[in-house]
Amino acid sequence: MAEPVIELKDVSFSAQNMDVVRNISYDFEGGKTTALVGPSGGGKSTVLKLAAGLLLPTSGKVLFRGQDISAMGRPQTLAFRRESAVVFQDSALWANQTLFQTLELPLKIHYPDMDKDERESRIAEVTAAVGYKRALHIRPALLSMGEQKLISFARALLCNPSILFLDEWTESLDDEAARRLVGIVRRRKADNNTILFISHDLEIIKELAEYVVMVIDGRLSLQVTGEEMEADRNVAKIVEKGISS
């Protein structure tokens, strides 16, 4: 068993006096791909954001390589952010910035010595990889939801992270675009990246997930390997029912 990269230690999270995540403990293995599944509103996106350090738990701890994320200083936090990237369900693009400015920002933060030509080259590389073909000097409001998702995915690739957090990352995409992104994730998986993803697409889960973790009502209700899900039709039915609700 590989060493955990992200560890949730008895983690709970509350918002607006409501318990969203309840006493979850789970180790995400380094170099493995884990699907977080479950019904809409069950808490899986919150679990992903906690694992990514975007939310701090109300109680419990989230560890990155053994270090409490909430206790990390600026250098450690920057290193974590450079090594990891998130694709948000709503894309989360800056409304008042052009696409180029949105994509350029992570490179300016994490690679301050990179010159403009290098930044432009890297941005062109990742946008071509995801299949985005329109201009970059426009704002997100001019894009379709699918195009926004492509830019969000391109942004996640910019710093070549070894940890990816993907929330409904193929949503709003046509089949061709979705398969392109699945192919990128498949290659990242082959390169032993650590990947946590949320999807309601059973075929994508079957294709990519080495582990499947179901979150219902803020609690872990099922933990299986992808192989176990493939081998046991009853388990597959539970997962299928969970992602369709």
Side-chain angles (χ1 to χ4, degrees):
M1 184 175 180
E3 289 293 319
V5 170
I6 304 289
E7 301 171 73
L8 306 185
K9 300 292 189 183
D10 199 24
V11 166
S12 296
F13 181 80
S14 301
Q16 298 178 339
N17 297 317
M18 293 182 60
D19 295 330
V20 183
V21 170
R22 309 161 191 257
N23 305 113
I24 285 181
S25 294
Y26 191 81
D27 294 348
F28 294 96
E29 287 187 44
K32 300 297 182 181
T33 299
T34 303
L36 293 171
V37 303
S40 297
K44 57 188 182 297
S45 288
T46 302
V47 171
L48 184 139
K49 290 176 181 177
L50 287 162
L54 300 176
L55 296 174
L56 295 180
T58 306
S59 62
K61 292 182 179 181
V62 180
L63 307 182
F64 169 61
R65 303 196 192 284
Q67 186 172 8
D68 187 345
I69 288 177
S70 67
M72 292 193 304
R74 178 173 170 78
Q76 292 81 16
T77 299
L78 277 175
F80 175 48
R81 292 283 166 245
R82 184 170 58 248
E83 190 173 347
S84 62
V86 182
V87 176
F88 296 91
Q89 186 174 2
D90 63 357
S91 299
L93 304 178
W94 293 101
N96 62 346
Q97 300 287 311
T98 68
L99 304 180
F100 186 87
Q101 289 170 326
T102 294
L103 293 170
E104 188 180 35
L105 183 60
L107 296 176
K108 285 184 171 181
I109 292 172
H110 296 300
Y111 299 98
D113 295 331
M114 182 180 286
D115 64 33
K116 184 177 180 181
D117 288 344
E118 290 178 297
R119 293 196 300 270
E120 290 179 348
S121 177
R122 180 59 181 159
I123 290 168
E125 181 183 354
V126 296
T127 51
V130 302
Y132 179 79
K133 298 176 181 178
R134 294 183 63 186
L136 291 173
H137 293 285
I138 58 177
R139 294 189 178 184
L142 296 178
L143 302 184
S144 69
M145 296 301 294
E147 289 169 330
Q148 289 184 33
K149 189 61 63 73
L150 293 181
I151 292 296
S152 181
F153 201 96
R155 178 177 59 188
L157 299 178
L158 276 167
C159 296
N160 195 27
S162 63
I163 309 169
L164 286 172
F165 301 94
L166 312 174
D167 192 351
E168 296 291 2
W169 44 292
T170 59
E171 194 175 65
S172 304
L173 298 177
D174 60 33
D175 289 344
E176 180 181 355
R179 291 310 305 171
R180 182 189 291 267
L181 297 196
V182 169
I184 292 172
V185 174
R186 189 171 57 246
R187 291 189 291 275
R188 291 265 169 176
K189 173 183 172 180
D191 289 338
N192 296 318
N193 286 187
T194 304
I195 302 167
L196 285 65
F197 76 88
I198 294 172
S199 178
H200 281 87
D201 190 318
L202 185 61
E203 294 307 311
I204 290 177
I205 294 166
K206 287 180 177 179
E207 180 176 350
L208 296 175
E210 292 164 282
Y211 296 97
V212 179
V213 177
M214 181 171 283
V215 182
I216 297 177
D217 195 25
R219 295 185 173 92
L220 295 189
S221 67
L222 180 71
Q223 303 174 46
V224 296
T225 66
E227 291 178 349
E228 288 169 339
M229 186 181 71
E230 283 288 306
D232 190 329
R233 180 57 187 159
N234 289 330
V235 172
K237 285 182 178 178
I238 292 171
V239 173
E240 187 171 8
K241 183 178 180 181
I243 65 177
S244 63
S245 56

